[in-house]
Amino acid sequence: MPIGGAEDKRGACTILNHFVQCSGSSSAHLVVIPSASSFPQEVAQDYTRIFTALGAQQVSILHIPDRRYADHAANLGVLNEATGIFLSGGDQLRLMSLIGGTRLAEALRSRFWNGVNIAGTSAGASIMSRQMIGFGRSGDTPSQRMVQMALGLGLTDNLIIDQHFRQRRRLGRLMTAVALNPGLTGVGVDENTALEIHPDGAWQVIGAGGVTIVDSSGLEYSDIYAAKRHDPLTLRGMEVRVLLGGEQVMSLPSPSLRSA
Amino acid sequence: MPIGGAEDKRGACTILNHFVQCSGSSSAHLVVIPSASSFPQEVAQDYTRIFTALGAQQVSILHIPDRRYADHAANLGVLNEATGIFLSGGDQLRLMSLIGGTRLAEALRSRFWNGVNIAGTSAGASIMSRQMIGFGRSGDTPSQRMVQMALGLGLTDNLIIDQHFRQRRRLGRLMTAVALNPGLTGVGVDENTALEIHPDGAWQVIGAGGVTIVDSSGLEYSDIYAAKRHDPLTLRGMEVRVLLGGEQVMSLPSPSLRSA
């Protein structure tokens, strides 16, 4: 469940409440990983308070100070008890620099494939895909050097997830990311909005905004290999559509979470 | 079998000859994909002549003019008969823009996992990994914006393959690529040099040069998330070693071709 950042934490908490309900409700044991943030203690306290108020039975914090910690199995035991895992915002490249290639990354994938619910907001949404947007520039027109790709956690091989989408004008960078990764599907999640991806492939948008889909399944031509630096790209057959809250889509081009 | 480019095509043809021998020798049916090149006809003619002279029974050309062609199963039948597949040099991002996400990409992975020998030179070596170096700058010191990652063919999930390595001074960009993809292993192949990766995980260097390994399995710290644009990176625990021809390594950190 990628969340586009800035989810409501004071009012109805629709998205966070939904996460708690889907993770076992009053018997939920949630693990919060706040380490994408440069203020992990504050972030951990905030989510502990909110999830507890929303009725979760237990909230544990798994903060990763360094790579060695993330690679030490004894530190990861708390994940075995988790019914839901929450990845905070911050900087996705910071988090992947801490956990990429470690036992923690393996454990998160393994828990996910065993059916544990994983939600992430902002940076925590970005890192869900294997082909991850590390950072990039704002703007509506795709251009060659607009985005820097890096390795994500890899809960999905087929999607590229972006966040704060409409608020930070990220259509250009998501289209560029898809042009660099043809065949993948770009997913741009607005603030205070979440995309719930069910194991059966159904997608459901929750919250105040929308989710923009950049679908390259019909891509006919891309000149990303020829465009220089800040040149705009020529892309033919790349389709952009927007899903709003409540819409349910059963047959997106690459719904499977784990490709061949 | 990634080849670092500029392999000997006139003298002993050690590397190309080895490819023919490993692909069935006098009963080899080779398929050459020349479409990374901007001169695919010339490239196709060259390799047809060389592989025929080296004793291959049959050499077929599979040139991809556009994405639609790559996605049409009837055009790919020749791959079913192939005992070896050869990916030419050129521009890896051009080739992936043509085949990424198409049936051809699927067919190549499927043939490879069924045991068909795949060799690629220069761009054709780069595209073998899933996390592919799209392009980058020369230099020995890793810096943040030195490299642009894109989606490769994905014959291996664990390696990042670079080529023309020593000749074009690409250590900096390979280290940056690994910093952007922590946990993966960088493989820089020199010109007129090939790295043969056996199904059992053994690696063998063939040819005139060496293969540089950037091993992030012991990575302790990376500040790629904090470094700005052309700032050099801080990397602790990233190990660089060089294998020369004839050396055989059985236990590299990420030898498996298909990760979890």
Side-chain angles (χ1 to χ4, degrees):
Chain A
M1 182 168 133
I3 306 169
E7 71 281 2
D8 173 22
K9 297 185 193 70
R10 294 168 190 277
C13 297
T14 310
I15 293 169
L16 298 177
N17 185 48
H18 187 73
F19 172 65
V20 174
Q21 300 312 313
C22 293
S23 303
S25 196
S26 62
S27 59
H29 179 177
L30 305 182
V31 174
V32 175
I33 299 182
S35 313
S37 171
S38 27
F39 306 102
Q41 270 73 27
E42 288 87 331
V43 166
Q45 280 167 15
D46 275 1
Y47 283 109
T48 302
R49 183 178 46 74
I50 296 167
F51 289 140
T52 304
L54 291 170
Q57 187 181 47
Q58 193 177 342
V59 182
S60 303
I61 304 301
L62 179 57
H63 173 52
I64 312 299
D66 55 41
R67 290 182 59 82
R68 200 166 291 175
Y69 190 93
D71 214 20
H72 193 54
N75 298 327
L76 312 178
V78 67
L79 292 176
N80 296 329
E81 310 303 320
T83 61
I85 298 168
F86 189 87
L87 309 166
S88 81
D91 178 338
Q92 57 267 37
L93 210 45
R94 177 201 308 267
L95 185 54
M96 285 310 299
S97 294
L98 285 167
I99 73 171
T102 68
R103 282 194 176 86
L104 171 56
E106 252 178 66
L108 289 171
R109 286 191 292 268
S110 151
R111 297 307 294 150
F112 179 68
W113 289 326
N114 281 302
V116 172
N117 196 12
I118 300 192
T121 187
S122 190
S126 283
I127 76 152
M128 290 181 173
S129 49
R130 183 196 290 260
Q131 309 298 128
M132 175 182 90
I133 293 180
F135 50 86
R137 276 200 315 279
S138 293
D140 301 327
T141 308
S143 74
Q144 195 257 80
R145 287 293 274 181
M146 200 160 198
V147 69
Q148 181 77 314
M149 301 303 300
L151 185 70
L153 189 52
L155 304 184
T156 160
D157 283 352
N158 296 327
L159 307 179
I160 299 175
I161 298 171
D162 207 351
Q163 19 77 11
H164 297 283
F165 194 70
R166 207 179 308 217
Q167 289 75 12
R168 298 193 188 170
R169 295 183 57 216
R170 288 181 163 172
L171 180 61
R173 85 177 200 178
L174 186 59
M175 291 181 72
T176 303
V178 175
L180 285 167
N181 294 268
L184 273 58
T185 300
V187 173
V189 187
D190 288 345
E191 291 182 356
N192 196 19
T193 307
L195 176 64
E196 196 181 354
I197 305 179
H198 295 260
D200 65 1
W203 295 22
Q204 171 94 42
V205 178
I206 301 165
V211 172
T212 301
I213 308 289
V214 176
D215 176 358
S216 68
S217 65
L219 182 65
E220 289 168 19
Y221 177 75
S222 151
D223 72 347
I224 183 101
Y225 62 89
K228 297 289 172 210
R229 302 191 58 75
H230 304 309
D231 284 359
L233 301 180
T234 306
L235 298 168
R236 273 206 311 273
M238 196 178 270
E239 196 189 325
V240 176
R241 24 182 211 285
V242 179
L243 312 176
L244 294 180
E247 286 186 57
Q248 194 150 356
V249 180
M250 295 293 296
S251 60
L252 274 160
S254 305
S256 88
L257 290 175
R258 201 176 182 187
S259 74
Chain B
M1 182 167 132
I3 305 167
E7 71 282 2
D8 173 22
K9 296 186 193 67
R10 295 167 189 280
C13 296
T14 309
I15 293 169
L16 298 176
N17 185 48
H18 187 73
F19 172 65
V20 174
Q21 300 312 311
C22 293
S23 303
S25 196
S26 62
S27 58
H29 179 177
L30 305 181
V31 174
V32 175
I33 299 183
S35 311
S37 172
S38 28
F39 306 102
Q41 272 72 28
E42 289 87 330
V43 165
Q45 280 167 17
D46 274 2
Y47 283 109
T48 303
R49 181 179 47 73
I50 295 166
F51 289 139
T52 306
L54 291 171
Q57 187 180 47
Q58 195 178 342
V59 182
S60 303
I61 303 301
L62 178 58
H63 174 51
I64 312 299
D66 55 43
R67 289 181 60 83
R68 198 164 291 176
Y69 190 93
D71 215 20
H72 193 53
N75 298 326
L76 312 178
V78 67
L79 292 176
N80 296 329
E81 311 301 320
T83 61
I85 298 169
F86 189 88
L87 308 166
S88 82
D91 179 339
Q92 56 266 38
L93 210 45
R94 177 201 308 270
L95 185 53
M96 285 310 299
S97 294
L98 285 166
I99 74 172
T102 68
R103 283 197 176 85
L104 172 55
E106 253 177 64
L108 289 171
R109 285 190 291 267
S110 150
R111 298 306 295 151
F112 179 68
W113 288 326
N114 280 299
V116 172
N117 196 10
I118 299 191
T121 186
S122 189
S126 283
I127 76 153
M128 290 180 173
S129 50
R130 183 196 290 258
Q131 310 298 127
M132 175 181 91
I133 293 179
F135 50 87
R137 278 200 314 280
S138 294
D140 302 325
T141 308
S143 74
Q144 194 256 80
R145 287 294 276 181
M146 202 162 197
V147 70
Q148 180 77 313
M149 300 304 298
L151 185 69
L153 188 53
L155 303 185
T156 161
D157 284 351
N158 295 328
L159 308 178
I160 299 175
I161 298 170
D162 207 351
Q163 20 75 15
H164 298 283
F165 194 71
R166 203 177 311 216
Q167 289 74 13
R168 298 191 188 171
R169 295 182 57 215
R170 287 179 163 173
L171 180 60
R173 82 177 203 180
L174 185 58
M175 291 181 74
T176 302
V178 174
L180 284 166
N181 294 268
L184 273 57
T185 300
V187 173
V189 187
D190 288 345
E191 292 183 358
N192 196 21
T193 306
L195 176 64
E196 196 181 354
I197 304 179
H198 295 260
D200 65 2
W203 296 24
Q204 171 95 43
V205 178
I206 301 164
V211 172
T212 302
I213 307 290
V214 176
D215 176 357
S216 67
S217 65
L219 181 64
E220 289 167 20
Y221 177 76
S222 152
D223 72 348
I224 183 100
Y225 63 89
K228 298 288 171 210
R229 302 190 60 75
H230 304 309
D231 284 359
L233 302 180
T234 306
L235 298 168
R236 273 206 312 272
M238 196 178 270
E239 195 188 326
V240 176
R241 28 181 209 283
V242 179
L243 312 177
L244 295 179
E247 287 186 57
Q248 194 151 354
V249 180
M250 294 293 296
S251 59
L252 273 158
S254 306
S256 87
L257 289 173
R258 200 176 183 187
S259 74

